[in-house]
Amino acid sequence: MFPVAGPVAGCREIEGSAMHRRKFSPWPYLLIAPALITILAVVFFPVLNAILMSFQSYDLRRPSQIRFTGLANYATAMHDPLFWQALLKTVIWVAVGVGLQFVFGFMLALLLNRKFPGRGIVRSISLIPWVTPGVLIGLMWRWIFDGNYGVLNDLLMRLGLIHDKIPFLAQQSTAFPSVILTIIWQGIPFFALMLLAGLQGIPEELYDAASVDGANAFQRFFLITVPSLKNTIFVTTLLRIIWVANSVDVIFNLTEGGPAYSTQTLSVYVFNKGNTLNLGYASTMAILLALALALVAVPYLKKLFKAQEESR
Amino acid sequence: MKRKLVFILMTVLSMAATVAVSAQQKPVSIVHWYWADNPAYSAQMQKIAADFNATNGKGIMVVAQEYPWDGGAYSETLFRAVMGGGGPDTSSFKLTSTPLFTANRLLANLDDFLAKWKDKDKIEPSLYDTMKKASGTKSVYVMPWNTQVLYVYYRPSLFRKAGVSVPKTYAEFLEACKKLTMDTNGDGKTDVYGFGMRGAKGGQEPWGSFIWARGGNFDNLATPQAIQGMQDFIDLYRNGYAPPTAPMDGFNEIIANFKSGKTAMTVHHIGSSIGMVDTFGDDVDAFPFPGGVGQWTSMGDTENILLASSKNKEAAFEWLAYLATGKGQEAWCVATGNVPVSRDVQQLPFFQNNRFMKVSIEGAPYAGIFPILDTTTEWINTIWPNTVAAALGGKMSAADAMKQLQIGLWGK
């Protein structure tokens, strides 16, 4: 019997030969090699190194005592009250910080989506907090909050809201709200910008049709605007959660985690430990922070992908 | 043929001579790191390096690079740079960082250089002993440069206004803090605080004087005497004799508060004296931190090191020697007001007639340093400011705070 000849067999033959050529062609690998090697060198290797260090007593103040200690650093973290306090601070820092960034960012995006004279200038100005480096933001707000010469105290006193100056960053009760206020100020333009881009992609006809059907502004917002921006909201929020949780620069330049550890989030604690050269313990807490973020990010992304699949 | 050979030989010889001469004159570059408290000091260090480059006659070119002190983080910046295979040939340095650097074998042993150095005896032998003690070895790894003894700056005009005389005892000092806290315009609010307290990094130095004044010491921070010293420190804040911002006030804040008239006294060293005189003229003076049961003040130090990784150690040592006993010592100490380590420079009229230098010298007999342990850096940078902030904020008792500080420093 001869093999069956025909279109199907011919296609298989063509596909087979194409696959054969793709399989053995080195070009794709050579082309992605530079990017792959770079990623391995600057991302994979440091992460791997951090994981390895987290299992060692890697303290450069005692280099002769560096050795494998298994899960000892993880056990230390579980019994370290500062670790748990920093974790709780991180949750509050992210929830309140990102939450209010989103709310005010959305409000700003809706405002900037309207047509009014000078809109371009207002849009540009509103980006200033986002393009300002975190270190500069920390220093700037440190002076704004200053208990002796700060402009915030001056304003509040002139408005008659306070009678004595408040040492915002020197009191445990006011230091943490102050740093959260700073991060909110910094992050609003990011949400505003991303949501504004999303808003401009919503067809005007949808609003027109809804208005014809008698939908009020509230209904138009929750039944058209929000669902249309669902993917943008998902992605931007996830990005900000990760960035804010990992953020060190603003807090460090405002308070260095003080007073009395009251503004020490987990990333600041990692930074402080790393600064004192206890790299093993710093790596352990960094890994735990990454795992905690993964716990948030993975279900979040799954839900996002599922929603995207359903919308197709 | 013979003429040709001679010609070739002459050519080779002249080329070799040219190479030898150019090699001899080839400048050796030394990178030096330093920090400066203000732009004037920064310019002064650049000038010292330029003068050295112009006068050393050995083709040594020092490139002075400034890095921020950053409340002590300079030491970690330097450490990371050197551990990463970079960093300078020489650097300004604090003695407290010695164990970290020697444990990682980053410092060059200076014994052989010192043995051959003609100016070795211009520096007090006790200073070399201190350098050896810091490294925990019998070798010198750190080159002495200058010291600063902490004392109390005060405003004579405010003292007159409050009817206070210069305190001679610790009890009088505490009383002065109280009396100098004044409402000068009658609006019911404090306008001048008696004591400019430093609660942020670096505040452990003036704080140490309170501990010792009550009879405590750093070997055991949990003794009743040490706890009483801490209680005094807390009371100054809680009673309103120090600015409310004190828990987060660092160097810049205490100096700004003093210069703006917000505080009547503050503790710092002679390095600030030039700025103080610029601001107040004669209306600023100083006295040694008074003693009670005991007496102690912090001896700050700024030294220099030669990194083991330097490829030009001989030339680098020439530069360090210039800073220790040469013109560099005089120029830096005159500009900053720091106490010179060179006995020759100490005898110059500038230092003999300076009122702040006089107070520094008065404090020298009981001036000391914190225990140099591998925990010291973390204790200074993180544990001390946060623990004291908790105590000042009323979240922790003096006894609990001292217990925590004891564990943080000594591990038990």
Side-chain angles (χ1 to χ4, degrees), chain A residues 24-176:
Chain A
F24 293 105
S25 172
W27 280 108
Y29 301 102
L30 284 172
L31 289 171
I32 62 162
L36 196 65
I37 291 167
T38 307
I39 289 168
L40 285 174
V42 304
V43 178
F44 183 74
F45 176 71
V47 168
L48 186 69
N49 210 21
I51 293 169
L52 291 175
M53 279 200 289
S54 74
F55 296 114
Q56 298 173 64
S57 58
Y58 204 104
D59 190 340
L60 287 175
R61 295 169 303 177
R62 298 159 190 134
S64 61
Q65 293 172 27
I66 294 174
R67 63 180 190 282
F68 179 77
T69 54
L71 293 170
N73 283 331
Y74 289 89
T76 303
M78 293 303 110
H79 294 98
D80 179 0
L82 284 180
F83 170 79
W84 291 109
Q85 182 184 314
L87 188 63
L88 179 64
K89 294 275 175 190
T90 308
V91 172
I92 299 169
W93 166 248
V94 171
V96 180
V98 176
L100 292 179
Q101 280 174 12
F102 171 74
V103 171
F104 291 117
F106 210 150
M107 287 163 67
L108 185 62
L110 291 170
L111 186 73
L112 294 177
N113 198 35
R114 289 176 171 274
K115 285 182 183 144
F116 58 89
R119 184 171 70 162
I121 294 168
V122 175
R123 279 182 181 177
S124 306
I125 290 172
S126 66
L127 278 177
I128 288 174
W130 182 246
V131 297
T132 307
V135 173
L136 198 59
I137 288 172
L139 292 173
M140 189 176 77
W141 279 89
R142 189 175 171 150
W143 279 110
I144 290 172
F145 287 129
D146 189 274
N148 293 313
Y149 318 104
V151 70
L152 184 59
N153 268 309
D154 191 50
L155 275 173
L156 294 175
M157 287 185 88
R158 281 172 195 270
L159 291 169
L161 295 173
I162 58 171
H163 297 292
D164 292 309
K165 287 179 179 175
I166 301 170
F168 289 103
L169 298 176
Q171 293 180 152
Q172 292 171 53
S173 56
T174 50
F176 198 44

Side-chain angles (χ1 to χ4, degrees), chain A residues 60 62 149 163 261 273, chain B residues 104 189 257 374 378 386:
Chain A
L60 287 175
R62 298 159 190 134
Y149 318 104
H163 297 292
Y261 306 110
K273 273 289 169 193
Chain B
N104 287 282
K189 293 176 189 167
N257 286 343
D374 56 13
E378 184 177 12
N386 282 295

